[in-house]
Structure formats: structure tokens, C-alpha cells
Amino acid sequence: MATILAAVLILAVLHHHLPPAEAVTSICSSNGRNYTEGSSYAVNLGRVIDSLPTKASSSPSLFATATVGAGANQTVYAIGLCRGDLVAYTCLVCLRSGLSDAKLDCPLAMDVSIDVADTCHLRFSNLDFVASTNNSVQQAFFSTYYPTVASSVAGRFNALVAQLLQATADYAASGSSERRFATGEMVVDEDTSQLGGLIPNIFATAQCTPDLTPAQCGACLAGAMAEMPRQVFPRNSSGASFVGERCGLRFATYSFYNGNAMVQLHARPQGKKTATTTVLITVFAILAELLALSLVGFWVWKKKSSQRKAPLFINVEDVENFESIFIGLSILRSATNNFDEKNKLGEGGFGAVYKGALPDGQEIAVKRLYQSTKQGLGQMKNELAMMVKLQHKNLVRIIGVCLEDGEHMLVYEYMPNKSLDTIIFDPDRSVHLDWGSRFRIINGIARGLQYLHEHSQMTIVHRDLKASNVLLDADMKPKISDFGLAKIFTDDQTRKATSLIIGTLGYMSPEYALRGHYTTKLDVFSFGILVLEIVTGRRNNYAVNTEDLFSLVWKHWVEGTIAELSDPGLGRHYPRGEVLKCINIGLLCVQQNPTDRPSMSTVVVMLGSDTISLEAPYRPAYVLNRSRSYIDTTELVKEPLCSEPQSSITELEPR
Ligand code: ACK
């Protein structure tokens, strides 16, 4: 219990101070104008979407503008800019995924500004903002992975950040780099431990659109810098990005850019007052490095950056409001009418879930752990640890925790449309799920997984993705839930193995089911099954010994009769090309060899593009050694594992 509390306290500290952040942030402009499908604006926007990513990524400055069409509210103005340390391919993938996100996040909006994981920036609008050098639509973002700085050292930390940003901004604006981009590092040699917290090295980037003159760039960055004391510094955040149309700044306590810092500062112990500035003119070296990196794809880059962990320098004593994540038992009792059976939503691994409403009216789902299941407790702890660190629109949000009177409960946002399996496998409900909704659900799940695998500061494998672990909100947006089995991969791990295979039979990849090996490709496999289930409305009923769904799909795929398999609930009117694309992607995801399965980033790009030609899948093969002992999480409620020795879930070193 003490350990749980300690973990919870630390996690609570993190949670309380971290505002939600997502890998892709789309700002649907408040000018509020929408276009209609088929309008000139829609056609022109389609042209921009098709051309802008290629144009920007193939330009040496990784920047492009577009003006397509003529006439008010028919012309589309757009810009696309990638971070200056990227290579063309990474830039292309980033811009494409940003635009496909924009269509999902701001459907039919005429004016959208998009920031993709601090990696590229886009805006399109019916207004001619391209001619102006105003840094409009500027906003500060705070990622979930920036821990809070202990308040006793925050003043010093912010001062160092300001110094570093200024030097980096000056260098970007100086015109030394064609890309109007600079990277910086503050090497902190001072020991501030007596103040109650250590300050790690700080990293920064500054960038303007390359069409600005050095003076315009300097003025733009100065404007962004001026916002820092108001928008950023009061939050005591160890990182932030300040993004605008024409220029932006970012800092963090881990290196998030490629190559060496162009500007390096040294912070020496205070009193000596010798902050020396060494500007390293390393442009040629960096260009050479970028060239060498040019064959490395987006996922590799993201993985590399995700492996650089933000150092933790939180001072627990320093945080006043850690209680905020705790919700009192009495509150939850009254929220659920004393856990009335009528409020029971169902039972999941290790506990029952109840619907409730907090005093402020917020609807919640309370997962109440069955008493004394050691493994259940482990999973709950795991889930809590994951969920407070992860925030994404396609992951279910945790609201609080209750640990009173021997009760262990997790409180989530309530998802009124229940889990996906209650719809897609129910002929009465599935008729109401048209193709558009299904495609949005597939996209959302893909993005949630992409975030887990590649966009967060850690690599996380969910390990139990299935239709019943995808919940649907009021707008039928999907959110991945149940992180009890999820695992974090550390820096040097690309694969893990476990002696106890826990998961759900129909969704397990062969290498996991047979040998306990798992990588992110385990989730990709489960995702593939899920896609095939969503398209066909059929369950992959491996567990009951019927034909595997993917064998059935494969048979129809090669015979060219796949239409026979699509869910009758879809009716006759659905875009056949998109359905076929999803089946193709589903089949690629369930390839026997994990390396033949695409990464989730690739899946997201494939889903968002109508022009990329997909690889043809090999025949998916699956051999399950039934003599191995499995624990199917769907069975856990009926067979609680109270006596399961803790050692059996210890991870083994990769073989
Ligand atoms: O399929 P369902 O209706 O959706 O039944 C299961 C049940 O609890 C056991 O897991 C439901 N459930 C779980 N979490 C939530 C949530 N956050 N909001 C609504 N229902 C939930 C799930």
C-alpha cells in the first residue's frame, strides 16, 4: 500500500501540473466559416492537400506557400513549414499527417492552423494571411512530458531559458542559416540542490518562415519571446513550445532536435557571473548530418527523440495540490448511488465498472477493483502510472483515484456510447454505424496507438487492444482504454519477452502467443484484427475454433470477392476503394513476420492518403501452440488470479 501511495503521489504530482497536450494540435479558427463538400473551396483545398506537402518538403528551406483558386471564399491560402533539422521525407510525412488530421479535427472548417508534435506547422485559410508577416494564431503548448520545475529553482530556471531562447533566436534571425532555424543548448554546471531541485541542461529551437528577412525574423521572435513571461514562465514548466504562423520557439530539458546545438551557452554557479557564450558555427557539419539522415524515415526519427527521456526533477514536498487527483470514497459512493447494481456498466478485468456523476455534474465511470487480487492491484497501479502520463484525444482520460477503506478505484471520463464491440458485433446496432463513422473510428484508434508507440516520450505497448477496449464518446470518437497490461520500453529495448502470456486470444500476434515476445508490432497485429472486424462486422473467433477471420478475409481477397465480406450493416452505399484500402491495411498489419507489419505512423499515413499505393500483403499465417498457458483477459473476471505469484509476471530480458 505504501508503495502504491508513493507511486500515486508522484504520479499525482505530475498529473496535476501537466495540462493536456496532444501530438497533433489543430486550431479550428474562430472565423467560424465552413465550406461545403463539392464547393470550389473544397476542390481547391484538395489541390492544396495534394501539393503543399510535396512542395514544402522538396524545397531546401522545407517551406512552401500556396494560393489556389480565385474569388472570395473560394481561394485557399496555405503555408507549410517543417522544423529546420528535418530531412525531406520526415517533413513530407509530417505535413501529410497534419493535413489529414486537420480534416478530422476541424471538419469543413475554412481556416485551420495545425501543429504536428512540434515537428511541422501548417495553416490553410480563406483569408489571405500569406501576404502578411504577422505571427497570427500564436499559442503556447505544454506537452504532457514536461515535468514541473520545483518552485524554489523555477526563477533561476526561467532566467536560463530566457537567456538560451534569446541567443537561439538571435542566431536563427541572423541569416546564417537559410532555413532561419537554430538549435541551442544551455549546459548547466551549477549545483542548485541546496535550493531543493537540480536544474538539468536545457535545449531550445527557434525558427522563422524562411521568406522573412533577418529583421522581420528578429522582430517576430522578439514578439514571441515577449509572450514567454505571460504565457509560459508562470507555469514552472520544464518545457514548452510557442508556435505562430511565422515564427516559433521551443525549449525542453532533453534534446529533441537532430544534430549538435548551433548555439551553446554555459551556466556557471551563480556568483561567478560568467555565462560564457560559445556560438558554434556548425552549419556544414549539420548539413552533412542531415544528408546522412536523409534515408531515415519518420518513425526512426520519432523513436530516437522519444528515447531521450526528460529528466525528472520534481520536488514532491514542493507541490501543494497533489491531493487533487484523489477522490473521496464518500463522493464516489454518492456519485454511484452506493455502487448500485443499476449503475453497473459491466465487468472488466479485475473489477466492476459503475456509472456515476460528480457533484459538479460531470459524468464518470468508476472501476472498482475486486478485493485482494494481487495481480489486479498490479494492473491497476500500472494503469494509473500509464494514464496520468498519457493524454491524447484517442485515449480514455483518467479523472482520479480512490484509495480508502481498502477500496481501490480508478475514475474515468464517461463514454456514453460504450465499447466498440457492443456495436460492431450487434446486427441491430451496427446498422447505425455507417462507413464514415467506421473509418473515423479506425483512424482514431490508429492515432491513439501511434501516440503510444511513437509520439509520447516513451514507447508504450498496450498489449490488449481489442474491440471491447475501445470506448466511444458522445460523438462516436474512439478512445483506447484499459492500460492494465501496457508496458513501457526503455531506451535500449526494442523487444521484451514474458513468461506469462496475458492478453486476448483472438488479438494476439504469433510471436507473442508462441514465445511471449512483444514489441509495438504486437499492437499493430491487434489493430489489424480490429480493422478487419470493423469492416466485416465479424469477430475473430479464434478462441472457439472457427476459421480465423484473417484466413477468411485472405481467401476472399485473393478471389476478388471481398465485397461479400463487408458488414451487411453498411448497406450498399459505401466507398469501395476506402473499404478495400482498410482491408489491405488490416492484412498488412496481421502479417506473420513482425517486420512485415507497418508501424502505426505508416498506417496513419496510409489511411490519410488516397494516392499512396499500398504494398500487397503476403498470406497471413498463424500457428498457435495450444499447449502454452494463456490468460485471456476476457476470462479474468471469471477466474480471478488472486494466487498468481508476482514473479510470474516479471519481464525477462530479450532473448
Ligand atoms: O462495453 P461496455 O458497455 O463498456 O461494458 C464495459 C464495462 O464497463 C466493463 O469494462 C464499460 N466501461 C468501462 N469504462 C467505461 C467508461 N469510461 N465509460 C463508459 N463505460 C465504460 C465498458
Side-chain angles (χ1 to χ4, degrees):
M1 181 68 182
T3 2
I4 279 207
L5 263 172
V8 166
L9 286 181
I10 292 164
L11 298 167
V13 168
L14 283 168
H15 179 66
H16 177 71
H17 285 266
L18 297 173
E22 283 165 2
V24 179
T25 312
S26 308
I27 302 170
C28 319
S29 159
S30 55
N31 91 18
R33 293 193 73 112
N34 283 350
Y35 61 90
T36 45
E37 295 286 11
S39 64
S40 305
Y41 192 86
V43 172
N44 293 334
L45 181 58
R47 288 198 196 126
V48 168
I49 291 173
D50 285 345
S51 61
L52 189 71
T54 318
K55 197 173 155 198
S57 59
S58 58
S59 118
S61 58
L62 299 182
F63 169 70
T65 62
T67 302
V68 178
N73 295 324
Q74 294 181 22
T75 312
V76 179
Y77 302 91
I79 64 173
L81 173 69
C82 290
R83 216 175 59 201
D85 60 331
L86 301 189
V87 293
Y89 177 68
T90 314
C91 176
L92 179 67
V93 174
C94 184
L95 293 170
R96 279 199 179 149
S97 79
L99 283 167
S100 68
D101 262 297
K103 279 175 84 177
L104 290 171
D105 292 347
C106 309
L108 304 179
M110 277 183 148
D111 188 343
V112 182
S113 187
I114 310 135
D115 184 68
V116 184
D118 295 313
T119 310
C120 65
H121 183 79
L122 294 137
R123 183 180 170 191
F124 59 81
S125 176
N126 55 322
L127 307 173
D128 183 4
F129 69 98
V130 172
S132 150
T133 54
N134 278 352
N135 202 26
S136 49
V137 195
Q138 54 182 356
Q139 196 163 337
F141 297 108
F142 300 87
S143 157
T144 322
Y145 293 98
Y146 300 136
T148 311
V149 183
S151 61
S152 54
V153 293
R156 177 73 182 138
F157 178 80
N158 288 341
L160 293 175
V161 168
Q163 209 180 345
L164 175 66
L165 287 177
Q166 188 62 61
T168 312
D170 287 348
Y171 191 70
S174 69
S176 308
S177 150
E178 186 193 12
R179 290 187 177 180
R180 295 270 185 279
F181 171 72
T183 56
E185 179 180 6
M186 172 72 78
V187 179
V188 183
D189 296 327
E190 58 190 52
D191 178 1
T192 49
S193 53
Q194 75 287 356
L195 295 177
L198 281 176
I199 299 181
N201 291 356
I202 308 165
F203 301 82
T205 49
Q207 186 172 22
C208 297
T209 55
D211 58 340
L212 297 193
T213 63
Q216 286 170 329
C217 178
C220 185
L221 288 170
M225 286 285 302
E227 286 293 315
M228 289 289 178
R230 194 172 65 82
Q231 292 203 38
V232 177
F233 293 156
R235 304 177 79 122
N236 290 1
S237 174
S238 66
S241 33
F242 194 86
V243 181
E245 223 77 272
R246 291 303 191 160
C247 67
L249 296 159
R250 183 181 176 193
F251 70 93
T253 50
Y254 56 94
S255 172
F256 56 89
Y257 48 75
N258 296 302
N260 297 324
M262 298 174 191
V263 177
Q264 198 177 63
L265 307 183
H266 286 265
R268 296 270 157 73
Q270 282 181 294
K272 289 189 185 172
K273 280 192 177 175
T274 50
T276 52
T277 305
T278 322
V279 177
L280 302 174
I281 313 295
T282 49
V283 176
F284 287 114
I286 286 160
L287 283 179
E289 199 160 337
L290 291 178
L291 213 62
L293 277 169
S294 65
L295 291 174
V296 182
F298 185 58
W299 69 271
V300 173
W301 177 82
K302 283 313 291 177
K303 210 169 182 84
K304 268 176 84 181
S305 66
S306 74
Q307 286 169 355
R308 300 177 192 128
K309 300 273 181 311
L312 200 71
F313 62 120
I314 284 181
N315 187 351
V316 174
E317 281 82 34
D318 194 42
V319 179
E320 325 84 50
N321 274 327
F322 62 75
E323 306 86 19
S324 63
I325 199 174
F326 290 103
I327 301 181
L329 182 56
S330 58
I331 293 181
L332 293 185
R333 279 199 195 287
S334 75
T336 57
N337 204 7
N338 206 12
F339 301 105
D340 191 335
E341 274 298 301
K342 285 198 212 102
N343 286 340
K344 201 174 193 176
L345 293 167
E347 307 213 358
F350 302 112
V353 182
Y354 297 85
K355 184 180 175 190
L358 290 175
D360 65 2
Q362 181 179 7
E363 289 192 309
I364 51 172
V366 184
K367 190 194 256 185
R368 188 186 197 192
L369 200 71
Y370 295 130
Q371 305 279 319
S372 67
T373 68
K374 206 170 168 186
Q375 193 165 354
L377 210 58
Q379 288 200 12
M380 179 180 146
K381 226 165 77 175
N382 196 39
E383 173 141 25
L384 182 62
M386 299 283 167
M387 295 309 292
V388 295
K389 282 184 252 179
L390 301 174
Q391 303 215 17
H392 186 272
K393 63 187 169 187
N394 297 114
L395 305 183
V396 76
R397 193 164 59 85
I398 199 158
I399 291 172
V401 59
C402 173
L403 303 168
E404 269 179 49
D405 282 358
E407 293 275 3
H408 301 104
M409 291 186 253
L410 291 178
V411 182
Y412 304 88
E413 58 179 328
Y414 175 66
M415 296 284 116
N417 278 312
K418 302 172 170 251
S419 57
L420 184 59
D421 67 330
T422 63
I423 302 188
I424 55 172
F425 303 131
D426 175 345
D428 294 335
R429 289 192 77 198
S430 72
V431 289
H432 302 298
L433 199 64
D434 62 13
W435 175 251
S437 311
R438 288 180 204 223
F439 190 60
R440 277 190 293 279
I441 289 171
I442 291 172
N443 249 301
I445 301 169
R447 281 167 198 286
L449 274 186
Q450 180 192 25
Y451 171 81
L452 288 181
H453 293 177
E454 294 165 35
H455 276 170
S456 66
Q457 282 299 312
M458 306 160 283
T459 299
I460 293 174
V461 183
H462 184 283
R463 293 208 302 169
D464 202 14
L465 181 72
K466 54 184 170 180
S468 57
N469 282 342
V470 173
L471 299 172
L472 299 165
D473 74 4
D475 301 322
M476 298 301 276
K477 283 206 188 102
K479 304 206 181 207
I480 300 171
S481 72
D482 219 328
F483 283 71
L485 301 184
K487 288 283 176 207
I488 297 180
F489 277 52
T490 52
D491 291 14
D492 46 3
Q493 290 169 317
T494 52
R495 191 185 78 176
K496 286 192 185 190
T498 178
S499 53
L500 183 71
I501 296 162
I502 311 182
T504 304
L505 271 174
Y507 295 85
M508 278 184 201
S509 64
E511 72 281 1
Y512 181 61
L514 296 173
R515 295 185 295 281
H517 289 173
Y518 60 93
T519 64
T520 49
K521 295 298 178 73
L522 163 60
D523 287 346
V524 173
F525 185 93
S526 312
F527 173 79
I529 298 288
L530 200 46
V531 169
L532 299 181
E533 288 184 334
I534 293 171
V535 178
T536 63
R538 293 165 197 245
R539 218 184 263 277
N540 185 32
N541 253 341
Y542 187 89
V544 293
N545 248 344
T546 54
E547 189 173 19
D548 304 326
L549 177 61
F550 44 83
S551 305
L552 185 68
V553 171
W554 176 253
K555 202 165 74 192
H556 286 269
W557 177 260
V558 289
E559 286 168 4
T561 54
I562 208 78
E564 288 173 20
L565 269 191
S566 52
D567 186 357
L570 285 176
R572 287 207 207 136
H573 305 292
Y574 56 84
R576 282 179 56 82
E578 216 163 66
V579 170
L580 278 178
K581 177 169 81 173
C582 285
I583 295 212
N584 193 338
I585 293 172
L587 286 171
L588 286 173
C589 290
V590 297
Q591 295 292 290
Q592 166 134 21
N593 187 343
T595 56
D596 290 334
R597 297 172 210 150
S599 69
M600 286 315 298
S601 278
T602 309
V603 168
V604 166
V605 171
M606 291 191 291
L607 284 169
S609 165
D610 295 331
T611 46
I612 290 179
S613 54
L614 304 187
E615 275 178 51
Y618 301 114
R619 182 185 197 289
Y622 196 60
V623 190
L624 194 61
N625 175 355
R626 285 180 175 277
S627 66
R628 284 211 59 138
S629 53
Y630 301 97
I631 295 172
D632 189 323
T633 56
T634 51
E635 298 298 313
L636 286 176
V637 177
K638 290 160 219 150
E639 296 172 40
L641 293 163
C642 319
S643 56
E644 188 62 45
Q646 197 62 36
S647 59
S648 64
I649 54 169
T650 306
E651 301 304 330
L652 303 178
E653 284 303 304
R655 285 173 220 172

